[in-house]
Amino acid sequence: MSKDDKILNGVYNPNLSHVLHPVTLKHMAREWLKEDTPNFDYGGFVVGEKEETSVLLMKSSGVLAGIPFFDAVFKELDCTVEWSADEGAFIEPVQCVAKVNGKVRQLLLGERVALNCLSRASGIASIARRLQQTALEAGWKGEIAGTRKTTPGFRLVEKYSLLVGGVSTHRYDLSSMTMLKDNHIWTAGSISQAVKDAKVVGGFSTKIEVECRSLEDALEAAEAGCDIVMFDNFTPEALSKGSKSLKEKFPHVLVEASGGITEETLMKYLDDNVDIISLSKLTQGYDTVDFSLKIKKDGIDPTNRP
C-alpha cells in the first residue's frame, strides 16, 4: 500500500522517530521540566515516591502524534512508557493509548509537560491529515506544506508533527532554503538582483524560492534562475491562470501557492499546475487533541474519573 493509500485509509503510521536526534530530545525534555518546576515540588511532597501506574487517555478524536517527546520527558524522570497505539494512527475517544510506570512524584512531575507536547503535536498531525486526505481525494498530485510560522522553542515538535500527519514541513529554518520575500527584493533592488546575490552564497546545494505578487514577478524570478516561485495571496482564478502561464515557459520551476488559504478554501487551490500549497493554519490556530493522565487504581475504571 502506497503512502497516499495509507493516508486515504487512515492508517498512515511510519516510524518517523529516527529523524530526531536523541541528544536534542534529551535537552528539550530537560529544559521543559526545568521550566515547569524551577524550584520546590510542593505537590510531590504530598504524594511521595510510591511506585504507581498511570494510564494515558485520548479523550478526543484525532491523529496520535508526539510519542518521542512524551517518551523523552518520562525517560528523564526514570519512568517507563508502554504504548498500546501507534504514532500516526487515527484514534476515536475515549481510549487508553499508553501506560506510564514510575514513582508517583515523578509521574506527576512529567504529566503536564508531556501532555502539552502530545496534545499540540496530535492537533497539528490531525489537521495535516485532513488536508492531505482532501487533496488526495481530489486527485491532486502536489504537496501540502507547513510554513515557518512556528512557536519559538517548539519548532521541532511542530515540524515533526507535520510529518506524522503526512504533509511536508517546508523549509525548517532560514538555513534550510533561500526564500526571497518582499523585504529582500525591495532592499536588493530587484528580483533578478536578489536571486543573483543568493546564488553567490547558496551555490548549487541550496534551492531559491521567490515570493511573487504578480505573473510578471514570477516570470522575472524564473528567468533569473530561481527553483520555486511562490504566488502569494492570489485568488484561485489568478493562481490558475498565472501558474499555467509560468509552467508553459518554465516547466521545471516549482509553483507554490500561499497566503490566506484555509481548510475551507483548500479545494479551490488544487490546480494541476500548482506543486505546493502552504498554509500557516497547520502550525497556527489549530485545535489541540485532549489527553489526560490518570493514576490507575484497582477496580476503578480510569475513563470514568473526572
Side-chain angles (χ1 to χ4, degrees):
M1 188 182 290
S2 69
K3 171 188 170 182
D4 290 352
D5 289 335
K6 289 179 179 179
I7 292 172
L8 283 170
N9 288 283
V11 292
Y12 181 64
N13 55 349
N15 185 355
L16 295 166
S17 64
H18 293 169
V19 303
L20 300 169
H21 197 300
V23 174
T24 301
L25 283 174
K26 180 187 290 288
H27 172 75
M28 292 177 72
R30 287 182 175 179
E31 291 302 308
W32 291 333
L33 289 166
K34 285 162 58 179
E35 178 192 47
D36 202 45
T37 313
N39 44 73
F40 293 132
D41 175 22
Y42 298 109
F45 172 80
V46 174
V47 298
E49 294 196 329
K50 181 182 177 183
E51 291 284 335
E52 295 282 7
T53 296
S54 59
V55 294
L56 175 64
L57 302 176
M58 191 163 176
K59 299 168 67 177
S60 59
S61 61
V63 175
L64 177 61
I67 285 178
F69 306 100
F70 189 95
D71 286 349
V73 168
F74 282 109
K75 185 176 181 180
E76 286 301 305
L77 297 167
D78 296 320
C79 298
T80 59
V81 185
E82 300 173 20
W83 291 93
S84 54
D86 295 326
E87 184 165 63
F90 185 87
I91 307 293
E92 293 287 358
V94 173
Q95 188 172 145
C96 175
V97 294
K99 293 181 180 179
V100 188
N101 304 286
K103 295 177 180 179
V104 64
R105 180 170 70 90
Q106 310 289 70
L107 292 174
L108 298 181
L109 278 172
E111 175 189 14
R112 180 44 51 194
V113 173
L115 291 180
N116 283 346
C117 290
L118 204 62
S119 64
R120 285 159 175 77
S122 297
I124 291 172
S126 297
I127 185 174
R129 180 71 53 80
R130 291 199 306 272
L131 291 171
Q132 185 69 346
Q133 286 177 325
T134 296
L136 291 175
E137 288 169 358
W140 188 62
K141 302 301 182 182
E143 296 189 44
I144 303 293
T147 70
R148 204 165 55 86
K149 293 181 179 178
T150 54
T151 308
F154 203 63
R155 181 180 305 180
L156 185 67
V157 181
E158 293 171 335
K159 291 288 191 179
Y160 176 79
S161 304
L162 292 174
L163 291 178
V164 176
V167 304
S168 296
T169 63
H170 211 296
R171 59 176 178 162
Y172 186 86
D173 51 34
L174 288 175
S175 299
S176 301
M177 180 174 73
T178 304
M179 182 181 288
L180 302 173
K181 300 172 76 68
D182 54 353
N183 285 320
H184 299 98
I185 295 163
W186 176 262
T187 305
S190 69
I191 289 173
S192 298
Q193 187 62 51
V195 172
K196 180 180 178 181
D197 291 344
K199 285 180 175 292
V200 172
V201 290
F204 71 91
S205 63
T206 305
K207 286 187 177 181
I208 297 174
E209 178 168 4
V210 179
E211 179 185 88
C212 299
R213 302 297 177 88
S214 66
L215 176 58
E216 291 70 29
D217 286 350
L219 292 171
E220 181 182 350
E223 185 67 41
C226 78
D227 302 285
I228 308 165
V229 164
M230 177 198 287
F231 284 91
D232 187 41
N233 285 302
F234 276 53
T235 65
E237 295 75 19
L239 172 67
S240 180
K241 182 178 179 180
S243 60
K244 184 175 185 294
S245 296
L246 182 69
K247 285 286 191 179
E248 287 174 349
K249 295 183 178 180
F250 300 95
H252 64 285
V253 173
L254 294 175
V255 172
E256 176 179 344
S258 189
I261 303 171
T262 66
E263 186 172 359
E264 293 71 29
T265 63
L266 176 64
M267 284 288 294
K268 299 178 180 179
Y269 292 86
L270 301 178
D271 191 277
D272 289 341
N273 291 303
V274 175
D275 303 290
I276 306 134
I277 296 178
S278 58
L279 304 89
S280 59
K281 176 72 174 179
L282 284 166
T283 51
Q284 286 187 322
Y286 54 88
D287 294 327
T288 58
V289 175
D290 189 18
F291 291 89
S292 64
L293 195 67
K294 300 295 185 183
I295 303 297
K296 187 178 179 181
K297 292 295 182 182
D298 291 339
I300 299 176
D301 184 357
T303 62
N304 292 329
R305 284 185 55 193

